[in-house]
Amino acid sequence: MVVTVNARILLLKGFQDFENSNSKKAPITVPTHQSRYHHHHHQSSLCKPLLLQSPFSRLHSLLGATNLSATTGNNRNKKNKVKQKMKEKAAATASEAVVKRRTRSGKEFDEKTFMRYGDSATHIPVMLGEVLDVFASVPLLSFVDCTVGAAGHSSAIIQAHTEMQLYIGLDVDPDALQKAQAQINTILHGDSSDSTSKLKGHTFLKNYRHIKYVLREVDEKLLTPGVNGILMDLGMSSMQVNNAQRGFCVRSNGPLDMRMNPRASLKAEDILNSWPDVDVGRILREYGEESNWHSLQDQIVKARQKGGLHSTADLVDLIRNSTSRRKGGRQGWIKTATRVFQALRIAVNDELNTLKETLYTCFDCLAPGGRLAVISFHSLEDRIVKQTFLNIINSDRGDENKEVKCTRDLREINDDDDDDDDDDDHDGDEEAWIRQQIRGSNGIILTKRPISPSEEEERFNCRSRSAKLRVIQKV
């Protein structure tokens, strides 16, 4: 019931006149069996039957009910607005905390350098300036790029270190390696100067887990002193993502492949259509960190009864239909699809187990004073790099007691810690890019917190925004 202020005044006045004109009439008699309403005098007049009230009282009650309803609605709206504001404030605070945790690179972004060693259509080397800084102070006589890709990082490092005598590049992708070989050969043989005349370059179509075997193949004695620098860029190149036939892209239709090494046997299609539903769910939950994993698992199993999933479009349609009614709309299902594709890619290529194993192997291959730099692109990779680096600097691989101690140390290290009194903090004599260190008996972690790209680089290359750089040095 909606009554304006002026209308309420007129109505009240009219009923009040009516009640006064009838005030001399006999009062309404209340039956004995209804007298119980008078014993509850503390209750509102709304609790009295309206028929037992005078016309003026009835109108007053109705108007009061209207006011009460409106007041309750207004209070509810206010409470909802307060809750919404609190949620927004909490989200903003959390977002600010994440930004605060990030150790932004202080390196000035040089677009010309990026374009010189990269191609915006195929691949842009991520955090190129930061990687060059990592190895700038190291006499880089020997260098290994475990994920050579389009050779953007390698080309820049080779030309920055004229003292380099041995270069080795590895990749499991034959298309990427072919492009890298052409780029490296141009640097090695296209320049008539003496700066690269002593440099021997080798490229191998190998997974980086085989780095020791590759070094032995190049030179049996190479492992004794070790190499001076190793780089691992764990991200996919744009030429892989943009090729629909590789099956990595959510927005392009292609086969459910997702193999980094086209010669490998396992495909994403095999996992979706053949693996036990429990294993499919585990992959989505652990590798994709997808909260809706159980529902997606059920939908994937049901799809098998209708012929299975055989293209990226089939999988995207399944995800869209499973998440379109959930909060988030289009962005909701795209984010879910991205997590699902990530999970399948990790499972197909056994990326996390390979990474952990290779980090130990790469450190073993370093010479004293040598550095290992790793660029990761999602939290699962970064956690493994962080934990493994801590284990490496303080323990031997076979010492379980020290392994437990290092795990405890990891929990004690908080990325929010801004304590400038730490003994391992950056000293004035150190390189400018080093801010906080963690020293151990076997090595030094030069990045207590990972370095993330500058804001300028993120604007130039949006795919770099999740990159994190961690560096360890052997003692």
Side-chain angles (χ1 to χ4, degrees), residues 313-326:
D314 292 341
L315 180 57
V316 168
D317 287 342
L318 181 146
I319 295 169
R320 185 191 291 114
N321 294 332
S322 301
T323 58
S324 60
R325 292 184 296 274
R326 300 177 65 214

Side-chain angles (χ1 to χ4, degrees), residues 117-217:
Y117 294 107
D119 182 353
S120 58
T122 56
H123 182 62
I124 301 174
V126 174
M127 301 182 72
L128 178 60
E130 290 76 9
V131 170
L132 290 174
D133 282 349
V134 166
F135 296 107
S137 64
V138 179
L140 215 57
L141 299 177
S142 53
F143 176 76
V144 180
D145 190 339
C146 290
T147 49
V148 63
H153 289 112
S154 289
S155 300
I157 291 173
I158 289 173
Q159 293 192 332
H161 290 268
T162 56
E163 77 278 10
M164 189 181 297
Q165 299 177 4
L166 175 65
Y167 166 82
I168 298 174
L170 309 176
D171 209 296
V172 295
D173 188 335
D175 295 335
L177 189 65
Q178 184 177 2
K179 186 167 185 175
Q181 287 173 333
Q183 181 72 11
I184 299 299
N185 288 334
T186 299
I187 295 174
L188 294 180
H189 308 295
D191 192 346
S192 58
S193 64
D194 295 334
S195 60
T196 58
S197 59
K198 297 180 181 180
L199 174 60
K200 295 182 180 179
H202 305 268
T203 55
F204 294 87
L205 186 62
K206 293 281 188 181
N207 188 295
Y208 50 55
R209 71 167 68 188
H210 303 302
I211 182 173
K212 275 192 175 181
Y213 300 101
V214 169
L215 292 179
R216 288 195 188 101
E217 186 174 338

Side-chain angles (χ1 to χ4, degrees), residues 223-348:
L223 285 173
T224 303
V227 296
N228 304 119
I230 300 176
L231 173 66
M232 299 175 69
D233 178 0
L234 305 178
M236 292 187 297
S237 67
S238 296
M239 60 184 175
Q240 291 171 325
V241 177
N242 296 339
N243 186 351
Q245 295 304 308
R246 302 296 297 271
F248 294 118
C249 186
V250 172
R251 293 179 174 85
S252 300
N253 187 24
L256 281 167
D257 194 320
M258 302 192 189
R259 292 173 298 175
M260 291 291 191
N261 179 7
R263 297 179 299 178
S265 57
L266 181 64
K267 301 179 182 179
E269 183 178 3
D270 302 325
I271 295 175
L272 292 169
N273 296 322
S274 304
W275 280 28
D277 55 348
V278 175
D279 290 335
V280 173
R282 177 183 58 80
I283 288 172
L284 298 178
R285 183 179 67 252
E286 295 181 4
Y287 296 163
E289 298 180 299
E290 172 54 45
S291 59
N292 195 35
W293 66 269
H294 195 274
S295 175
L296 289 170
Q297 168 193 302
D298 292 341
Q299 293 299 322
I300 291 170
V301 172
K302 289 179 181 178
R304 296 175 181 177
Q305 301 172 1
K306 300 178 182 179
L309 302 168
H310 303 286
S311 69
T312 55
D314 292 341
L315 180 57
V316 168
D317 287 342
L318 181 146
I319 295 169
R320 185 191 291 114
N321 294 332
S322 301
T323 58
S324 60
R325 292 184 296 274
R326 300 177 65 214
K327 186 177 180 181
R330 181 174 182 271
Q331 288 299 320
W333 74 258
I334 287 180
K335 290 179 180 179
T336 299
T338 302
R339 289 190 289 266
V340 171
F341 273 59
Q342 171 186 298
L344 291 170
R345 192 199 76 224
I346 290 174
V348 167

Side-chain angles (χ1 to χ4, degrees), residues 46 50 109 169 196 249 265 346 354 356 436 444 455 468-469:
L46 291 175
L50 292 178
F109 179 74
T196 58
C249 186
S265 57
I346 290 174
T354 302
K356 184 175 182 179
Q436 288 181 312
I444 307 170
E455 293 180 1
K468 292 182 179 179
L469 172 64

Side-chain angles (χ1 to χ4, degrees), residues 383 386-388 390-391 394 401-417 438 448:
R383 285 176 209 153
K386 179 179 182 178
Q387 176 66 76
T388 305
L390 285 166
N391 292 340
N394 286 320
N401 293 329
K402 289 185 179 180
E403 186 85 7
V404 172
K405 179 181 181 296
C406 289
T407 303
R408 189 183 309 113
D409 291 343
L410 174 64
R411 289 195 296 267
E412 292 171 356
I413 294 175
N414 188 339
D415 278 350
D416 287 331
D417 184 12
I438 304 175
K448 180 177 180 180

Side-chain angles (χ1 to χ4, degrees), residues 71-108:
T71 302
T72 303
N74 291 335
N75 289 339
R76 188 180 297 112
N77 291 335
K78 287 181 180 179
K79 288 181 179 179
N80 291 336
K81 288 181 179 179
V82 170
K83 288 182 180 179
Q84 183 64 26
K85 287 183 178 179
M86 291 177 65
K87 287 181 180 179
E88 292 175 357
K89 187 175 181 180
T93 302
S95 178
E96 290 174 1
V98 171
V99 172
K100 183 179 179 181
R101 276 203 306 271
R102 301 182 69 179
T103 304
R104 285 280 189 187
S105 170
K107 183 76 175 179
E108 183 178 353

